[in-house]
């Protein structure tokens, strides 16, 4: 039987007081007995008796209380040996190890941390009360997850050298399922409307995936906040949740939730007033007011206006400004409310330092050169936001935050804390395969977008098959000057067999080339590109090839060469390049061959993307691309510069490169003009990497250019090609769903599409898959 410490202490004090040596002796020395692990100095630091003191019962009692209070000792005895005070100690055991079994709900490291937080960890002094606290904390975590049937058993095994091993055996039981959610007091919204606002719900056919029927205290609190927001955003300023009852069935398998509410009445805005210190900027603040008198009170709009006031002040250096809204009702019988915003700019501050943390691989200067909030300058929230977005657009990090923190002892200074979490930026892929149509297929690739943490990127691609063979390498330096001029080198060897691709018969070509491009920033989001490239294309035309390919070889030869100048412009305001949720991206790129070698052509493409957050988890994305090319100086447009349509990146559901004009044999020949667009709704998969997203889509597009016109019949039949015009009736459309992910092997996208207006000769491919990107 375990005797309480207080009882032991009282008994020892009583014995000390009854000892014939207990009183009146001057202590000449102090001797410790029984310690093996504890340092003598540690014991003396808790002992309020010193050599030279006169021993008294009160002093002995104080010594016992102090030593027990340290928590390090299981038993303590004081005795006098002549004039020597003898302190006999039994040390508490230390924890040699902690073993947990049966835990699958939580991460092992997380459990160890929670135990350590309450004082139970390897190497610490063992105390049964601490073990009990640890057990209760673990039980609390299970209850918060809805596991009310959990059973936790602990075993303490003594070991040599005054140590113990602690075993924690957990039977998690089944998660208690929510069988009913009831509301009491609601009249404005019915139970179905309110349950639609909640994450939690009752079991249904999809519960195995969503787990909505698994109770969680945190989720319930979030649901209550969502319900409160629903009412507050629709005028019910006085709405409140009076109580929430969560009951558990006797077998602990079912949970019943009852929520009692008081809705109150609906309010309208009477007026909006400003008070406080507005720094003489009253007209500017008033221009930000977008809440109209007579409109229904909306808490989200009220808070959004408060944020606008704060953002305005924070761009002027007031990093900790406040704009507190206070709704004032006009009396018990009134349904109008006045909004009074109290403006408090606080103290104006400047940034002392920009601190960067979390980058274990990426060099500081790679991040710092994207920061537009400079040290020793006034704090500006707009510049902080631009800095955060520019760092995120690098694509090197899973998360990026940039927050001001006050400097202790210096009220007019802040440090900007930039925190990043690294993500893998490189991948290596190797593959081999065989098919009866393609033969042996070998592929491989290497890409590293952040070589040695420098921010430079290098990619190499190798792909071999009967229809397509590619060898390509690209090296990019985003900063060759401090002003942000970039430089990119490219070298490639690409071969295409149009017969194997079923584009046309007996035609193949191989293009060798190299190029260099410089990017010059002109604003925070705008960049222009200047460059050039040299190409030579080896064209092989067989006897079965259509006439126009023979004509091309006749005009240009079978190895036409060109030197082309490239010019481009881009504007990027997306919040992230890997998985954007807001912002816009535009890119205009053109190339024109110089009139010094064989080819004379020009070619341009324009791409536009817009991302709009619909909800916290759903993003609307619009993408369109237009392409145009032609020859000049009386020369035709090179067929190997054609655009093609169909497949991922164009109109999904139709075979890749199958849309557009067809030659005399009925094969798709591509065209010198293209148009395609895509509408998507994207949502991340809960609990996964933010780049793993599901989507639904609507695609449309077409390629056009040269149209075959047949003259005569029989042996006298000839064909000529003339420029075609876009007929919007030719556009193909499809709808479907899919999955996108920036995987360790590269960008991955798969989709299932349903063509909406298939026509004769269209080639369908409903399921399509793509990994990696081209060069």
């Amino acid at each position: 039987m375990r005797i309480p410490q207080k009882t032991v202490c009282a008994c020892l004090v009583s014995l000390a007081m009854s000892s014939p040596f207990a009183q009146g002796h001057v202590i000449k020395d102090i001797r410790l007995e029984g310690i093996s692990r504890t340092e003598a100095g540690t014991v003396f630091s808790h002992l309020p008796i010193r050599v030279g003191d006169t021993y008294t019962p009160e002093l002995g009692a104080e010594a016992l209380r102090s030593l027990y209070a340290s928590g390090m000792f299981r038993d303590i005895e004081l005795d006098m040996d002549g004039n020597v005070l003898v302190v006999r100690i039994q040390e508490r055991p230390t924890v040699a190890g902690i073993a947990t079994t049966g835990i699958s709900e939580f991460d092992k490291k997380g459990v160890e941390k929670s135990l350590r937080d309450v004082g139970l960890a390897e190497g610490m002094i063992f105390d049964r009360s601490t073990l009990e606290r640890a057990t209760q904390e673990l039980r609390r975590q299970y209850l918060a997850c809805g596991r009310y049937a959990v059973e936790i058993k602990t075993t303490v095994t003594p070991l040599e050298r005054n140590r113990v091993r602690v075993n924690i055996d957990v039977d998690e039981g089944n998660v208690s399922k929510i069988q009913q959610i009831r509301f009491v007091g609601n009249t404005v919204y019915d139970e179905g409307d309110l349950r639609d606002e909640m994450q939690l719900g009752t079991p249904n056919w999809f519960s195995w995936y969503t787990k909505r029927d698994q109770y969680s205290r945190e989720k319930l609190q979030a649901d209550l906040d969502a319900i409160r927001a629903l009412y507050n955003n629709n005028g019910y300023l006085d709405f409140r949740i009076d109580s929430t009852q969560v009951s558990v069935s006797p077998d602990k398998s079912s949970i019943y939730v009852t929520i009692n509410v008081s809705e109150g009445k609906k309010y309208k805005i009477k007026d909006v007033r400003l008070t406080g210190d507005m720094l003489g900027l009253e007209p500017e603040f008033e221009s930000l007011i977008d809440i109209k008198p007579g409109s229904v009170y909306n808490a989200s709009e009220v808070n959004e206006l408060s944020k606008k006031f704060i953002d305005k002040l924070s761009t002027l250096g007031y990093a900790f400004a406040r704009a507190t809204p206070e709704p004032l009702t006009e009396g018990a019988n009134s349904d109008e409310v006045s909004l009074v915003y109290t403006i408090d700019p606080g103290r104006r501050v400047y940034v002392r330092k920009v601190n960067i943390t979390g980058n274990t691989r990426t060099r500081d200067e790679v991040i710092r050169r994207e920061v537009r909030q400079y040290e020793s300058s006034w704090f500006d929230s707009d510049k902080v936001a631009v800095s955060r977005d520019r760092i995120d657009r690098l694509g090197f990090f899973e998360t990026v935050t940039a927050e001001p923190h006050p400097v202790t002892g210096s009220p007019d200074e802040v440090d900007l804390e930039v925190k990043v979490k690294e993500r893998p930026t490189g991948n290596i892929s190797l593959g081999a395969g065989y098919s009866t149509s393609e033969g042996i297929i070998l592929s491989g690739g290497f890409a590293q977008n952040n070589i040695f943490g420098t921010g430079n990127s290098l990619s190499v691609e190798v792909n071999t098959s009967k229809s397509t063979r590619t060898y390509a390498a690209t090296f990019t330096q985003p900063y060759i000057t401090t002003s942000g001029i970039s430089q990119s080198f490219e070298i490639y060897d690409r071969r295409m067999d149009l017969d194997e691709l079923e584009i046309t018969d007996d035609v193949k070509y191989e293009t060798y080339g190299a190029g260099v491009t410089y990017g010059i920033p002109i604003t925070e989001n705008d960049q222009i590109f200047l460059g050039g490239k040299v190409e030579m294309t080896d064209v092989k035309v067989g006897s079965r090839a259509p006439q126009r390919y023979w004509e091309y070889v006749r005009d240009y030869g079978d190895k036409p060469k060109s030197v082309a100048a490239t010019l481009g412009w881009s504007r990027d305001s997306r919040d992230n390049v890997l998985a954007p949720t807001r912002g816009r991206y535009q890119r205009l790129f053109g190339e024109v061959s110089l009139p010094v070698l064989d080819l004379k052509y020009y070619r341009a493409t324009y791409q536009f993307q817009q991302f709009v957050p619909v909800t916290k988890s759903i993003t609307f994305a619009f993408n369109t691309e237009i392409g145009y090319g032609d020859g000049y100086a009386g020369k035709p447009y090179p067929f190997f510069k054609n655009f093609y349509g169909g497949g991922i990146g164009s109109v999904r559901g139709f075979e890749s490169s199958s849309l557009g004009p067809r030659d005399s044999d009925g094969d798709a020949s591509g065209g010198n003009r293209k148009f395609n667009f895509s509408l998507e709704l994207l949502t991340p998969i809960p609990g996964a990497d933010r780049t793993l997203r599901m989507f639904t889509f609507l695609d449309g597009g077409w390629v056009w250019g040269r149209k075959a016109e047949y003259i005569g019949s029989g042996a006298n039949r000839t064909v000529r090609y003339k420029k075609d015009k876009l007929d919007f009736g030719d556009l193909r459309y499809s709808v479907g769903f899919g999955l996108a992910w920036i995987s360790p092997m590269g960008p991955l996208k798969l989709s299932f599409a349903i063509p909406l207006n298939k026509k004769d000769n269209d080639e369908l491919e409903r399921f399509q898959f793509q990994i990696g990107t081209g060069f």
Side-chain angles (χ1 to χ4, degrees), residues 252-377:
K252 299 182 180 179
S253 64
S254 301
I255 292 179
Y256 302 86
V257 180
T258 303
I259 302 171
N260 297 277
V261 303
S262 295
E263 294 177 323
K265 59 184 175 181
K266 192 172 187 176
Y267 286 89
K268 294 183 178 180
I269 301 295
K270 179 181 180 182
D271 57 12
V272 181
R273 301 196 296 267
L274 302 177
T275 187
D277 184 3
M278 285 172 277
L279 306 174
L281 301 173
E282 287 85 347
E284 296 184 39
F285 281 111
E286 290 173 358
S287 68
L288 296 174
I289 299 175
D290 54 3
I291 298 177
K292 304 300 181 183
S295 62
V296 174
Y297 177 88
N298 186 315
S300 293
E301 292 180 356
V302 170
N303 294 329
E304 183 62 28
L305 181 56
S306 178
K307 183 177 182 299
K308 290 179 180 179
F309 293 147
I310 293 172
D311 289 345
K312 177 62 180 177
L313 290 167
S314 63
T315 61
L316 303 174
Y318 298 93
F320 305 106
R322 291 181 295 176
T324 307
E326 183 180 3
L328 301 177
T329 57
E330 299 296 316
N333 297 323
S334 174
D335 62 354
E336 290 187 317
V337 61
S338 294
L339 280 178
V340 180
Y341 285 88
T342 302
I343 309 297
D344 178 13
R347 186 183 292 270
R348 194 180 189 194
V349 297
Y350 66 91
V351 176
R352 183 186 68 163
K353 290 182 179 179
V354 176
N355 299 319
I356 298 172
T357 58
N359 52 318
T360 57
R361 183 170 180 274
T362 305
R363 298 178 185 178
D364 266 16
E365 63 265 22
V366 173
I367 302 172
R368 197 171 293 277
R369 65 195 181 192
E370 305 298 333
V371 175
R372 295 300 181 263
Q373 171 64 71
Y374 302 121
E375 297 177 346
S376 302
S377 63

Side-chain angles (χ1 to χ4, degrees), residues 108 207 403 453:
K108 182 178 180 181
S207 297
E403 300 290 343

Side-chain angles (χ1 to χ4, degrees), residues 243-254:
S243 63
T244 304
Q245 290 91 38
V246 179
S247 57
V248 185
S249 63
D251 63 359
K252 299 182 180 179
S253 64
S254 301

Side-chain angles (χ1 to χ4, degrees), residues 261-570:
V261 303
S262 295
E263 294 177 323
K265 59 184 175 181
K266 192 172 187 176
Y267 286 89
K268 294 183 178 180
I269 301 295
K270 179 181 180 182
D271 57 12
V272 181
R273 301 196 296 267
L274 302 177
T275 187
D277 184 3
M278 285 172 277
L279 306 174
L281 301 173
E282 287 85 347
E284 296 184 39
F285 281 111
E286 290 173 358
S287 68
L288 296 174
I289 299 175
D290 54 3
I291 298 177
K292 304 300 181 183
S295 62
V296 174
Y297 177 88
N298 186 315
S300 293
E301 292 180 356
V302 170
N303 294 329
E304 183 62 28
L305 181 56
S306 178
K307 183 177 182 299
K308 290 179 180 179
F309 293 147
I310 293 172
D311 289 345
K312 177 62 180 177
L313 290 167
S314 63
T315 61
L316 303 174
Y318 298 93
F320 305 106
R322 291 181 295 176
T324 307
E326 183 180 3
L328 301 177
T329 57
E330 299 296 316
N333 297 323
S334 174
D335 62 354
E336 290 187 317
V337 61
S338 294
L339 280 178
V340 180
Y341 285 88
T342 302
I343 309 297
D344 178 13
R347 186 183 292 270
R348 194 180 189 194
V349 297
Y350 66 91
V351 176
R352 183 186 68 163
K353 290 182 179 179
V354 176
N355 299 319
I356 298 172
T357 58
N359 52 318
T360 57
R361 183 170 180 274
T362 305
R363 298 178 185 178
D364 266 16
E365 63 265 22
V366 173
I367 302 172
R368 197 171 293 277
R369 65 195 181 192
E370 305 298 333
V371 175
R372 295 300 181 263
Q373 171 64 71
Y374 302 121
E375 297 177 346
S376 302
S377 63
W378 292 116
F379 176 87
D380 187 330
S381 61
D382 283 350
K383 292 180 178 178
V384 172
V386 169
S387 302
R388 194 214 70 84
D389 287 349
R390 287 182 65 92
I391 295 170
D392 207 7
R393 282 200 295 268
L394 290 173
F396 303 160
F397 311 108
E398 288 186 14
T399 57
V400 179
T401 59
E403 300 290 343
H405 288 261
V407 176
T408 303
S410 185
D412 61 346
E413 288 184 317
V414 295
D415 287 341
L416 182 62
E417 302 291 339
V418 178
K419 296 181 180 180
V420 300
K421 182 180 179 182
E422 302 254 22
R423 67 179 301 275
T425 57
N427 60 76
I428 297 176
S429 60
L430 297 172
Y434 177 82
S435 72
T436 56
S437 61
E438 295 283 341
I440 296 176
I441 303 170
L442 300 175
S443 63
F446 166 82
Q448 175 53 261
N449 295 328
N450 188 15
I451 300 174
F452 306 121
T454 62
N456 299 332
S457 65
L458 172 66
S459 60
V460 178
E461 181 187 18
V462 176
N463 183 45
T464 66
S465 69
K466 279 186 177 181
S467 61
T468 306
R469 189 198 68 194
T470 300
Y471 305 118
T474 304
F475 177 69
T476 301
Q477 295 172 280
Y479 280 80
I480 61 171
T481 68
T482 55
S483 60
I485 295 177
S486 64
Q487 179 177 255
S488 181
F489 295 100
E490 180 183 24
I491 185 169
Y492 49 89
D493 174 2
R494 299 188 180 98
R495 184 188 67 188
M496 300 286 289
D497 190 328
L498 303 186
D499 196 349
E500 293 289 344
L501 287 171
E502 298 183 356
I503 293 176
T504 193
D505 292 334
D506 216 4
V507 177
K508 63 181 66 175
Y509 64 87
E510 186 170 359
T511 301
Y512 311 89
V516 61
T517 302
Y518 293 92
I520 304 170
I522 52 178
T523 70
E524 287 294 343
N525 297 322
D526 293 82
Q527 200 170 18
I528 59 174
F529 300 93
L530 301 172
K533 62 180 180 179
V534 179
E535 285 186 342
M536 192 274 282
T537 302
D538 185 1
V539 181
K540 290 183 171 58
V541 178
S543 59
R544 296 180 293 108
Q547 179 183 347
R548 65 191 184 94
Y549 293 100
W550 282 103
E551 293 173 351
Y552 190 87
V553 172
R554 182 193 63 201
D555 292 342
Y556 286 99
D558 60 358
K559 290 182 172 58
K561 304 175 184 63
S562 67
V563 176
T566 57
L567 175 67
W569 162 81
S570 72

Side-chain angles (χ1 to χ4, degrees), residues 12 27 29-36 40 42-51 55 59-60 63-68 73 75-81 83-91:
L12 289 174
I27 298 172
D29 194 11
I30 300 175
R31 186 170 72 244
L32 304 180
E33 295 181 358
I35 61 172
S36 60
T42 302
V43 179
F44 283 121
S45 68
H46 292 279
L47 187 66
I49 301 176
R50 298 293 181 265
V51 173
Y55 184 84
L59 188 60
L64 289 172
R65 283 194 297 269
S66 178
L67 290 171
Y68 273 118
F73 311 116
D75 197 9
I76 306 166
E77 181 182 347
L78 301 181
D79 197 4
M80 294 294 297
D81 183 5
N83 291 327
V84 177
L85 175 64
V86 180
V87 182
R88 297 186 180 92
I89 292 173
Q90 283 188 337
E91 297 171 316

